[in-house]
Amino acid sequence: GFLDSLTQNGTVNEWKSFAYDWRKPISEVVAGPEKKATTTEYLIQNIEELASRSKTGKVTLIAHSNGGLVAKYLVKALDEIGKSNLIDSVISVAVPYLGTPQAIASVLHGDGQSIGLGIIVKQAVIREFGLNMPSAYSLLPSAKYFSRILSPTIVFASSSVAGINNGSYPINIQSGSEQLAFITDLNNTRTQPNLSNIDLPIIGNKTLSMAADVLHSILDPYSWPTNIVRWAILGWNAVTTKSVNYYNEMDCKKSPSLPSCKTLLIHNASTTLMGDGTVVVKSAVYEAGNATSIDLSIISNKENTAISHANILEASSTQRAIRNALLATNGDSNEDMKNSFCQKISSIPGVTCGEPDYSKDIPDTELVISTHSPVELHVYDEMGNHTGVIPIPTGFDIEEGLYTFFEAKIPGSRFSKQDKNENESDNYVTVPDNGKKYSVVVQGTGGGDFTLEGERQKGGAVLDHVEYN
C-alpha cells in the first residue's frame, strides 16, 4: 500500500515485488528461474524490464532481511555482465549482511522462529525443516562477523558441559572456524538427537555450512560499484541475541525414599539492545552505505504495537525514511546528498541519521511472565492492549498444533514459546517494567498442573521472582 501511494503521487514510476523460494541457495535465486503459480520469472530479467520502462533507465532495490543478501548477490551478478548501471540505489532494511547469532539458536534448537508477524512454527518442525536448507546456514555469523564484532557467538559455562562439550571446544567460540566446528560437531562430542528433543542442539549439515562460508567469502569482501548509492535502515533498542549460552542444571524430584536427580542441558541467550530483535546493528550496517537508525522502543509506542525485525517495514517511521531515501538526489557529492537526507528525516520520531549511540547499550528492567503447560498466557496493559496467543485467523487451512498465532499489541512487548516436548510448551510474555500495571489471564487448555512465574530482569539477570504452582 505504501509503495502504491508512491506510484500514485509520482514519486516512483512503478514498483514490483519479487517473490522467491527462500529455502534455495541465494545464488540459485539470482540465477533463476522462480516458478510461480502460472509463470516462471527470472530476477535479472525483471530488473532489465523495469529499467527499460524507468524514466532514468535505472532501478532502485528495496531489500529486507535475507532479501539484502539476495540483492547484493544480484548486484554482483549484474556487475559481472556489465549491467550494474541498471541499479541506481539499494535501500537495505534490517539486513544481516554478516549473519546474526539468532540464526545459531534457530538452526540448532528451532528457537525464535516467528514467521512474518504473529505466527510461530513448532520448534521441532522448523528445526527439521531447516536442517538441510541452504539459506538457513547463510544467515549464521560469517567469518567476517568476528573481526567486526569482537564478541563470542557461543558460550559454555565451563570447559566441560555434559552432552555437548567435553573440553574439545573453547569456552568462548569467537571465530568462524570454531563456530563451524561446533555446529557441525567436528570433534565428535555429541550424537544427533531426536529432532523432537529441542533441548539438545542438532548436528548441522557440514556441506551446507561450508557452502555458506563460500557464499560469504564471495559477498563479504565484494565492493559495491561506486555508481550505486546505498542506504542502510536499521533497527535498534530491541532485545537481540548476541550469543547462545550453554550450561548444566540439576533437576531433582523429591520422593519418600531418595531424591532422584538428573543433569539437564540448558541453553539461553546473552542479549544486546544494538539490534532489532533478530539482526545486530553492526551486521546490518556492514558496507551498506548511509546509515539511518530507528529506535524501535520509541516507534513501538508511537505505533501502539510492538515493532521489531519481522514487521519493521510496517512502521510509518520506516516508510518515511524509505521515501526520503527514494527522493534523495545527487548533489555535488555524496556528502551533500547525505546531509540533505539527514536534514529531512530529523523530524521523524525515533529516527536518526547515522549509527546508534553504542554507549546506550544499557538494558532496562523488564517483567517476564511465563506459564508452564497446559495453559495459554494473555497479558493486557492499562489501555487494554493484548500480548499473547490469538485464535487461528479465518482462511488459514493449517495442521492443528503446528502453528501458534499471537499478537504483541503492548508497546515494547515480546511473545515467545519454548517447546518442552511434542505435546507441551512454555509461554513467555516480556513487557517493559515502567511502573505501569498489567493484567495476567491464564486460560486452561487441558487437564493437569501448571505454573505461573513472574520475574523482574535486567540484562538477563533476575532481580525478583515470584512463582505460583
Side-chain angles (χ1 to χ4, degrees), residues 366-417:
E366 298 181 304
L367 300 177
V368 182
I369 304 150
S370 59
T371 53
H372 308 282
S373 78
V375 295
E376 289 180 353
L377 175 62
H378 304 270
V379 179
Y380 299 85
D381 66 9
E382 295 170 303
M383 302 295 292
N385 294 313
H386 170 252
T387 294
V389 176
I390 59 174
I392 298 174
T394 303
F396 278 85
D397 181 17
I398 63 173
E399 182 181 337
E400 186 71 26
L402 181 59
Y403 300 95
T404 296
F405 289 81
F406 72 95
E407 62 183 8
K409 295 295 186 181
I410 300 174
S413 68
R414 304 189 300 280
F415 176 86
S416 63
K417 286 188 67 174

Side-chain angles (χ1 to χ4, degrees), residues 150-168:
L150 304 177
S151 62
T153 58
I154 300 171
V155 176
F156 301 101
S158 63
S159 59
S160 179
V161 176
I164 57 171
N165 188 4
N166 59 6
S168 299

Side-chain angles (χ1 to χ4, degrees), residues 71 82 89 96 127 161 180 192-193 212 218 246 276 335 350 365 403 439:
S89 63
R127 184 169 70 164
V161 176
L180 175 66
Q192 189 72 290
I218 295 170
Y246 291 100
D276 59 21
E335 195 64 29
T365 57
Y403 300 95
S439 299

Side-chain angles (χ1 to χ4, degrees), residues 454-457 462-466:
E455 290 182 344
R456 177 174 283 109
Q457 295 186 3
V462 178
L463 307 179
D464 296 298
H465 176 266
V466 63

